[in-house]
C-alpha cells in the first residue's frame, strides 16, 4: 500500500481529531484503489504531554474505526507509546492488518527496549536502523553495523 504521515506536537484534541480525520480520508481513497494504507499519526517523542496525546489519538482512532467498513484493510504506524500495549486492542477490529512502530528519533537501543514492551507491535525503523552507518566505513564495517542493527531490531520485534 502507501502511507501518509502527520506529526502531533501536543495533546490538543481538536488538532488530533483533524489529523485522524485527514488520515482516514486518505486511507479510504487508498482502500478504494485496492491497496492497504498505512496510517501514520506520529506523536513527537519530545513533547511533554506525549502520554496524553497518545490517549487522545487512540480515542479518536477508535471513534473512526467503530464506523469504518471492516472490509477496508488498514495498517497503523505509531510512535512507540509511553504506556506499553496502548494500541494492542486495536487488533479487535477485523480491518486491522498490522501495527508497526516507528523509531521516532529514539536511539536504536532505546527504541528496541521500548518496542519489546509492546505485544504484537513490530519495528518499522529507518532512523534507528541507519544511525551507525557512515559513508567512511569499510564494506566490512558497514556490513557488521547493519547486521547488528537488523539483529537488534528483529529481536525487539518478536
Amino acid at each position: 500500500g502507501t502511507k501518509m504521515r502527520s506529526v502531533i506536537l501536543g495533546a490538543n484534541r481538536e488538532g488530533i481529531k483533524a489529523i485522524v480525520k485527514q488520515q482516514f480520508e486518505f486511507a479510504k481513497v487508498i482502500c478504494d484503489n485496492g491497496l492497504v494504507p498505512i496510517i501514520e499519526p506520529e506523536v513527537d517523542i519530545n513533547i511533554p504531554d506525549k502520554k496524553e496525546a497518545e490517549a487522545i489519538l487512540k480515542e479518536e482512532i477508535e471513534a473512526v474505526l467503530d464506523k469504518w467498513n471492516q472490509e477496508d484493510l488498514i495498517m497503523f504506524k505509531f510512535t512507540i507509546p509511553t504506556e506499553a500495549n496502548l494500541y494492542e486492542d486495536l487488533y479487535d477490529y477485523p480491518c486491522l492488518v498490522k501495527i508497526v512502530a516507528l523509531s521516532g528519533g529514539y536511539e536504536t537501543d532505546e527504541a528496541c527496549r521500548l518496542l519489546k514492551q509492546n505485544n504484537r507491535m513490530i519495528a518499522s525503523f529507518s532512523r534507528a536502523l541507519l544511525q551507525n552507518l557512515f559513508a567512511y566505513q569499510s564494506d566490512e564495517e558497514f556490513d557488521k553495523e547493519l547486521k547488528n542493527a537488523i539483529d537488534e531490531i528483529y529481536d525487539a520485534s518478536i
Side-chain angles (χ1 to χ4, degrees), residues 46-103:
N46 298 308
I47 61 173
D49 52 359
K50 180 177 178 278
K51 184 175 181 177
E52 294 81 7
E54 292 165 340
I56 294 168
L57 175 62
K58 184 180 179 205
E59 289 172 14
E60 294 299 331
I61 285 172
E62 288 174 326
V64 174
L65 287 176
D66 286 341
K67 300 176 205 161
W68 186 255
N69 177 354
Q70 295 301 302
E71 293 181 12
D72 284 341
L73 302 179
I74 58 172
M75 292 177 60
F76 287 107
K77 186 170 183 176
F78 290 125
T79 306
I80 303 168
T82 303
E83 178 186 324
N85 295 312
L86 175 67
Y87 303 116
E88 186 177 20
D89 62 351
L90 295 179
Y91 277 107
D92 293 344
Y93 292 92
C95 63
L96 184 60
V97 174
K98 186 64 72 181
I99 298 174
V100 299
L102 58 102
S103 55

Side-chain angles (χ1 to χ4, degrees), residues 15 39 45 50 96 115 143 152:
I39 298 170
I45 66 169
K50 180 177 178 278
L96 184 60
L115 181 59
D143 290 349
E152 184 177 8

Side-chain angles (χ1 to χ4, degrees), residues 130-146:
L130 304 175
Q131 83 178 28
N132 292 322
L133 303 179
F134 303 99
Y136 62 78
Q137 292 171 317
S138 69
D139 287 350
E140 186 177 276
E141 292 169 323
F142 183 93
D143 290 349
K144 179 183 175 203
E145 288 297 334
L146 183 58

Side-chain angles (χ1 to χ4, degrees), residues 8-54:
I8 296 169
L9 299 174
N12 176 297
R13 183 168 298 275
E14 290 308 308
I16 292 171
K17 185 175 187 170
I19 283 173
V20 170
K21 180 178 186 273
Q22 179 189 52
Q23 290 273 317
F24 275 94
E25 286 172 353
F26 281 114
K28 180 64 177 144
V29 171
I30 293 164
C31 288
D32 288 349
N33 283 281
L35 298 172
V36 176
I38 302 171
I39 298 170
E40 185 179 355
E42 177 179 351
V43 177
D44 187 296
I45 66 169
N46 298 308
I47 61 173
D49 52 359
K50 180 177 178 278
K51 184 175 181 177
E52 294 81 7
E54 292 165 340

